Amino acid sequence: MNVSAAVTVEGFVAESLATHGRDPRHLLQHLIRVQQRFSYVPDAAVEALSAALDVTRTQVRAAIAFYAFLHERPRGAFEIRFSDNITDRMLGSRRLIRLLIERLGLMGLPAWGRDLIRSDGRVSVGLASCTGMCDQGPALLINGQAVTNLDAQRVDRIADLVQEGIPLDRWPGEFFRVENNIRRRGLLLGNPATDGAALRRLLDEGADAALAEVERSGLRGRGGAGFTTALKWRFCREAPGTDRYVVCNADEGEPGTFKDRVLLTDYADLVIEGMTVCAGVIGARRGFLYLRGEYLYLLPHLESVLQRRRAEGLLGARILGRDGFDFDIEIHLGAGAYICGEESALIESLEGKRGVTRKRPPFPVTSGFDDQPTVVNNVETFLAAARVVQWGGYWLRGEGTDQSAGSKILSVSGDCARPGIYEYPFGTPVHRVLSDCGAENTQAVQISGAAGATLSPADFDRIIAFEDLPTAGSFMIFDDSRDLLDMVRNFAAFFAHESCGFCTPCRVGGALLRNLVEKVVAGQGSEYDLSEIRHIGAVMRQASYCGLGHTAPNHVLNTLDKFPSIYRRRLAREAHTPSFDLDAALSEARGIAGRNDPGAHIHALSGETA
Amino acid sequence: MADKPRVATVSLCGCFGCHMSLLDIDERILQLVDLVTFDRTPLTDIKTLGDCDLGLIEGGVANAENVEVLREFRRRCKTLVAVGACAVNGGIPAMRNQFGLAECLRESYCDGIGVHNPGIPSDPEIPLLLNQVHPIHEVVAIDYFLPGCPPSADAIWTFLTAFLEGRPIAFPYLQIHFD
C-alpha cells in the first residue's frame, strides 16, 4: 500500500537522496521510488529533485511525461495495469478487465494514456504493454508487482481485496507466483551451475585469451540485431576513454518475449558472471543492469545475488583477490518504455533522461554511458559469453549454423498446448518448434515480437538463424480460429503508444497506421486506405530516426502481403471512403439548431465515387 | 477552343487567400486563359459545375454545404488538388476543433465582445456546421496536395503549367520553403 500520512513528500525525497545519492543521472531512479511511494510524483517532489540534482523542472516533468509508469496526478492506492499484449487478449484479458471494472464500480474501459481512477482514490485501472507473462497470462501489474494466470475467480478476489483495503503483502502468495516453464533445455539452459569458473579462467589465462575464445565462438548478440560480440568488446576495449562501462540490457520489452525473465530468475549468477568477464576484458569498473519496471518483483532476488557474489569475492573490489580487478554492478529500473530496449535510448534512460535514441555513430562502444566506451549486451548474450569463456569457443560452435553459432532461447506463447521457454540450436525450422510445443492448425507465427515478421505456413520450413529468421526470441502462435486483424490492431496501437515522439515519421505515421487499421476494422476502409497504409509504412521504414519506427509497420505490411483477406473481406465497396462518419459529424449542430429534417443530414454515397 | 482543359476552383472553409495567390500570377493569367477554359470558379462567377479536367479546392470542410460541394467536385473533376494549408490540414479554421461547437457558437453569437441581438442563428438556409473542421482528403480522394498559406503564385503557376503540359510536378526549392 502506498498511503501513509506520516511521511511527507519532501521527507521521502530527502531520504531517497541520502540513500541513493545526488548524481543527476539518478533522477529516474528517484522518480520511480517517489511514484511507488505516493502513486504519483507530486509537485513538491519535482521541486525538491530539481533543486537537489540541479536539473531543470522541465527535465523532471519531461521524464514524468515520457515514462508510462510515472504520473503527474495520483493513481489509485491500488494501481492496477492489465498487460495488453495480443497474447493476453487471446487468453481473455478484455473480458476480465470489464469484469474488474464492473466489480470496482468504475465506468468505461481503460485505453492507452487513459487510466480509470476511482473518485475515492482507492484504485485505478489502466493498461500496460506486454508485461512478459505471455505463457501464464492474462497478467496484470498491481503497484508494480506482477500477477499471473488471471481468471474470473482471481479477478473477483482481487476486487474484494481492493474493496477491503488489504495490503499487498497480505494477498495470497499464489497470485504473484511466476513460473519458469522451461520446456526444452539446450547448451545454455542445460546447466545452471556456476562457481565463478569463467572468472577464474579469465584470471588464469588473461583478457586476451578470453576475448580470443569469444571471437572463436562466433557469438552474436541475442537481442535481435546479431552484432558479433567479440567485435563489440574489442571496439570498446580499444576505444579511447577515461572509464568503461558494461551494461546488461534486461529491458525485455518486445511483446511476446519473456526468456530474460527466466534467465534472471534461475541463471542470474551466470548473467552477472558474463558481465564481470566482459568488465575484465574491456577494463570496466562499473556496470549496470537495466531491469524493465515490469520485472520489479525480481529486484530483491537480483540484489541478493549481487550481494552474495560480493561476499564470495566474485564482484566488487579485488575480484578473486586480483589487484586492480574491481567491478561492481548497479541495478537501474525502467519505467514502462519499450524504446529503452534500444541501446542508445537505454543509455539515455540510465543517465536519468527520457529514453530518446541517440544519433549513431558514435556507437556506444566508443561513446556510451557518460560518453565513455560502453558495451551493451542482452541478458542471454552475457550468459552465453560466460560459458564461452569457461568452456571455450568451440563448445558454442558445436551447435548452430555457419553464421549463427550456438543456440537460441525462444519465448513461445499463443495457441499451443505448452507455452514456455524452449532452447534450440540455431538452424531449427519453425515447424519443429510448433510440433514440440503442441501447436495445431497454426495459421500464423509472429516471430521476434511486434517488430518482427509474420510467418504464414509457407514459411514454416524456414530456419531460426541470423541468415534466415533472426529473432530476439519472441514466438507467438495464432491458430486458424483467430482473426489476425486482432493482432494487427493490437500491434498498431502498441507502436502508436510506444513511439518516443522524437521523429515525425514514427510519431505521426504510427498514429495514422493505427487509425487506418481501425477504419478497416469498422468496415469503413477502402482500397485507397490500403494503399495509404502501404505508402505510410514505406515512409516509416525509410525515414524514421531509429529501429522502432523502421520496424513498426512490419506487422501491417507483412499481413497485407501474406494475409490480404483479413483486410479485403472488410472493405467497403467504394474506392474511397471518408475517414469519419459525416452524418454523425452534424450531431451537435442538429442539437443546437433543433433540426432533424432530411436537409439536416448528410447521406452516405452508394459506391458512386469509384 | 472546346479542346482546352476545363478548370474549376472553389473556396470551402478558407479565406480566399489561395485564390488571391492564384491571381498573383499577374499577367500570366492571360497565358492561362489561353491554355484552359474556366468552369465554376469565383473568378468567373459561374455557380454550376460541369465536367472538368482539373479542380482546385481551397479551404477545409467545416459544414454540410462544404461536403456537398466537395463531393460534386470529386464527381465532376478528373483530377482534384488540395490547395493551401486549410484544404491540406484544416488550417486556421481547424483551431476550433479544440473546443465544442456549442462553445464556439456561444462565443461568436452570444457572449463575445460587441455582440448585438445575441442568439445562435438557426435557419434552414444556413448550412449546419460539422462538429470539427476536416482536411478535404478525409472526405474524398485527393490527387495532389499543394501546401502553403497560401502557396505562392509561382508555386501555383509551376503546378498548373507542369500539369497542363503533362510533365512530372516538381518545384524549385524556393517555391516550397516556408521559413
Side-chain angles (χ1 to χ4, degrees):
Chain A
M1 285 290 293
N2 293 322
V3 181
S4 155
V7 178
T8 64
V9 172
E10 289 84 353
F12 184 82
V13 171
E15 193 190 311
S16 183
L17 289 164
T19 320
H20 301 280
R22 291 171 175 255
D23 185 338
R25 290 174 299 200
H26 278 106
L27 170 63
L28 176 59
Q29 303 307 307
H30 289 298
L31 289 173
I32 291 170
R33 281 188 285 272
V34 171
Q35 169 70 41
Q36 284 168 0
R37 183 66 181 71
F38 297 98
S39 90
Y40 75 121
V41 183
D43 286 344
V46 174
E47 294 300 324
L49 286 170
S50 165
L53 303 179
D54 195 26
V55 292
T56 63
R57 278 185 205 88
T58 317
Q59 277 175 284
V60 182
R61 293 205 184 284
I64 297 169
F66 182 85
Y67 292 98
F69 291 173
L70 302 178
H71 309 292
E72 274 192 315
R73 291 184 218 303
R75 292 309 189 261
F78 291 100
E79 185 189 353
I80 295 173
R81 297 198 169 276
F82 277 87
S83 177
D84 195 37
N85 189 28
I86 183 62
T87 52
D88 294 285
R89 289 183 170 221
M90 286 157 67
L91 292 164
S93 65
R94 301 300 289 176
R95 189 173 49 84
L96 297 175
I97 293 173
R98 277 191 289 271
L99 177 64
L100 184 65
I101 297 289
E102 192 184 308
R103 286 281 277 101
L104 295 173
L106 289 159
M107 297 291 280
L109 274 177
W112 290 117
R114 199 183 70 230
D115 298 348
L116 306 180
I117 306 168
R118 209 164 79 177
S119 53
D120 65 356
R122 169 65 63 84
V123 60
S124 62
V125 179
L127 300 179
S129 299
C130 180
T131 60
M133 301 291 168
C134 320
D135 56 336
Q136 47 204 302
L140 58 75
L141 298 170
I142 182 155
N143 295 347
Q145 301 293 327
V147 178
T148 57
N149 287 312
L150 293 173
D151 57 18
Q153 277 168 318
R154 191 161 280 195
V155 166
D156 246 2
R157 187 79 190 102
I158 288 173
D160 290 339
L161 291 163
V162 167
Q163 300 287 32
E164 292 159 23
I166 309 288
L168 278 191
D169 54 15
R170 285 166 46 203
W171 284 31
E174 76 256 26
F175 283 20
F176 304 99
R177 189 154 62 220
V178 178
E179 300 291 344
N180 282 340
N181 290 333
I182 299 176
R183 314 280 188 188
R184 191 177 195 282
R185 293 170 195 271
L187 278 181
L188 297 176
L189 298 178
N191 182 359
T194 173
D195 52 3
L199 279 175
R200 285 192 181 82
R201 182 142 187 236
L202 168 75
L203 290 181
D204 288 348
E205 298 182 18
D208 288 326
L211 186 55
E213 289 296 353
V214 180
E215 221 149 34
R216 191 169 294 129
S217 73
L219 177 63
R220 296 171 66 173
R222 282 353 188 197
F227 192 79
T228 305
T229 305
L231 210 51
K232 188 181 271 187
W233 290 16
R234 183 178 294 284
F235 283 153
C236 183
R237 184 186 197 206
E238 291 169 359
T242 50
D243 294 297
R244 274 157 234 286
Y245 297 94
V246 179
V247 176
C248 177
N249 183 347
D251 190 51
E252 184 175 47
E254 191 60 55
T257 319
F258 46 88
K259 46 113 187 157
D260 292 345
R261 156 170 68 73
V262 174
L263 297 180
L264 293 172
T265 306
D266 269 12
Y267 299 79
D269 264 288
L270 273 171
V271 175
I272 292 162
E273 182 138 328
M275 292 177 71
T276 314
V277 166
C278 175
V281 168
I282 66 170
R285 296 165 56 87
R286 277 179 80 192
F288 299 96
L289 192 150
Y290 187 92
L291 182 68
R292 70 186 306 226
E294 290 81 347
Y295 294 167
L296 176 67
Y297 77 97
L298 282 173
L299 187 58
H301 162 66
L302 291 170
E303 292 285 12
S304 78
V305 173
L306 291 177
Q307 201 47 46
R308 179 172 42 73
R309 289 183 71 87
R310 285 181 196 114
E312 290 170 354
L314 299 170
L315 197 64
R318 296 187 71 247
I319 291 173
L320 290 172
R322 178 67 58 97
D323 283 331
F325 188 13
D326 307 330
F327 177 69
D328 212 330
I329 295 171
E330 270 175 66
I331 300 174
H332 273 227
L333 278 170
Y338 169 70
I339 183 62
C340 290
E342 195 278 345
E343 60 179 4
S344 68
L346 186 152
I347 289 169
E348 288 285 297
S349 185
L350 274 180
E351 293 180 357
K353 295 179 266 184
R354 297 180 303 140
V356 173
T357 51
R358 290 179 179 176
K359 188 159 53 76
R360 300 185 308 170
F363 291 93
V365 283
T366 56
S367 182
F369 182 79
D370 202 21
D371 295 330
Q372 297 299 313
T374 303
V375 163
V376 184
N377 274 142
N378 180 262
V379 172
E380 188 181 342
T381 314
F382 281 122
L383 170 60
R387 287 302 194 208
V388 162
V389 171
Q390 181 180 354
W391 288 332
Y394 290 123
W395 164 79
L396 190 77
R397 279 219 172 274
E399 275 188 4
T401 65
D402 277 0
Q403 294 167 47
S404 314
S407 64
K408 183 74 196 92
I409 301 173
L410 301 179
S411 314
V412 175
S413 64
D415 293 315
C416 63
R418 294 173 294 279
I421 299 295
Y422 291 76
E423 184 180 10
Y424 287 100
F426 274 117
T428 301
V430 171
H431 66 74
R432 170 75 200 276
V433 182
L434 288 172
S435 63
D436 285 358
C437 70
E440 286 173 2
N441 304 318
T442 303
Q443 175 186 193
V445 172
Q446 181 71 16
I447 194 164
S448 208
T454 312
L455 307 180
S456 72
D459 299 310
F460 291 173
D461 285 335
R462 294 174 62 187
I463 59 167
I464 291 161
F466 292 109
E467 54 268 50
D468 188 2
L469 292 172
T471 173
S474 172
F475 194 99
M476 294 183 273
I477 303 166
F478 300 82
D479 71 19
D480 58 13
S481 73
R482 302 290 177 184
D483 184 346
L484 274 187
L485 206 55
D486 288 337
M487 176 193 85
V488 174
R489 291 176 78 182
N490 183 251
F491 292 169
F494 167 77
F495 283 114
H497 172 71
E498 293 291 354
S499 170
C500 84
F502 177 80
C503 79
T504 310
C506 174
R507 182 186 67 248
V508 176
L512 290 175
L513 283 188
R514 178 199 56 202
N515 295 350
L516 286 168
V517 167
E518 287 302 322
K519 189 180 173 188
V520 172
V521 170
Q524 283 153 10
S526 62
E527 279 294 338
Y528 178 83
D529 294 310
L530 298 189
S531 71
E532 279 294 283
I533 288 176
R534 286 189 185 279
H535 177 66
I536 292 164
V539 172
M540 289 173 76
R541 278 185 173 172
Q542 186 186 7
S544 293
Y545 185 71
C546 80
L548 194 161
H550 296 152
T551 54
N554 284 352
H555 63 95
V556 61
L557 297 176
N558 281 177
T559 46
L560 267 174
D561 286 339
K562 294 182 183 180
F563 300 92
S565 69
I566 65 172
Y567 297 89
R568 297 208 177 281
R569 66 169 176 255
R570 286 183 169 85
L571 291 190
R573 278 175 301 151
E574 294 88 350
H576 179 279
T577 46
S579 64
F580 63 102
D581 182 336
L582 292 167
D583 189 52
L586 286 181
S587 58
E588 286 179 44
R590 273 195 296 266
I592 295 165
R595 288 179 56 188
N596 201 18
D597 55 286
H601 287 275
I602 299 175
H603 301 285
L605 294 177
S606 50
E608 59 187 310
T609 51
Chain B
M1 289 295 276
D3 294 333
K4 286 199 294 184
R6 296 185 72 84
V7 177
T9 79
V10 70
S11 178
L12 303 176
C13 189
C15 69
F16 274 92
C18 295
H19 276 82
M20 298 307 291
S21 195
L22 168 61
L23 292 177
D24 273 345
I25 63 175
D26 297 332
E27 74 283 1
R28 286 172 289 186
I29 198 157
L30 301 174
Q31 277 175 266
L32 188 59
V33 293
D34 281 340
L35 291 170
V36 304
T37 302
F38 278 108
D39 193 89
R40 169 178 169 163
T41 157
L43 311 182
T44 58
D45 217 20
I46 298 172
K47 299 279 201 278
T48 57
L49 182 61
D51 288 330
C52 289
D53 299 283
L54 180 64
L56 304 177
I57 313 286
E58 171 188 343
V61 182
N63 64 32
E65 192 228 4
N66 295 156
V67 174
E68 186 183 318
V69 172
L70 179 59
R71 282 174 159 181
E72 192 182 4
F73 264 74
R74 181 67 278 181
R75 274 196 300 274
R76 294 287 193 173
C77 301
K78 288 184 193 148
T79 298
L80 216 51
V81 186
V83 180
C86 300
V88 173
N89 287 320
I92 297 281
M95 289 172 75
R96 81 158 157 94
N97 294 355
Q98 308 298 317
F99 308 94
L101 179 59
E103 206 181 340
C104 293
L105 289 172
R106 268 198 309 275
E107 178 66 20
S108 298
Y109 294 104
C110 303
D111 307 333
I113 296 165
V115 171
H116 297 280
N117 301 323
I120 295 169
S122 172
D123 187 304
E125 291 205 351
I126 302 174
L128 293 179
L129 291 166
L130 299 176
N131 298 349
Q132 300 209 309
V133 178
H134 295 263
I136 63 173
H137 69 265
E138 292 191 358
V139 178
V140 299
I142 297 299
D143 303 296
Y144 293 97
F145 297 85
L146 190 53
C149 186
S152 69
D154 286 342
I156 295 173
W157 182 251
T158 301
F159 173 81
L160 287 173
T161 48
F163 177 79
L164 293 169
E165 291 165 21
R167 286 187 280 120
I169 291 154
F171 298 93
Y173 175 70
L174 285 176
Q175 287 183 8
I176 51 163
H177 82 131
F178 303 107
D179 47 4

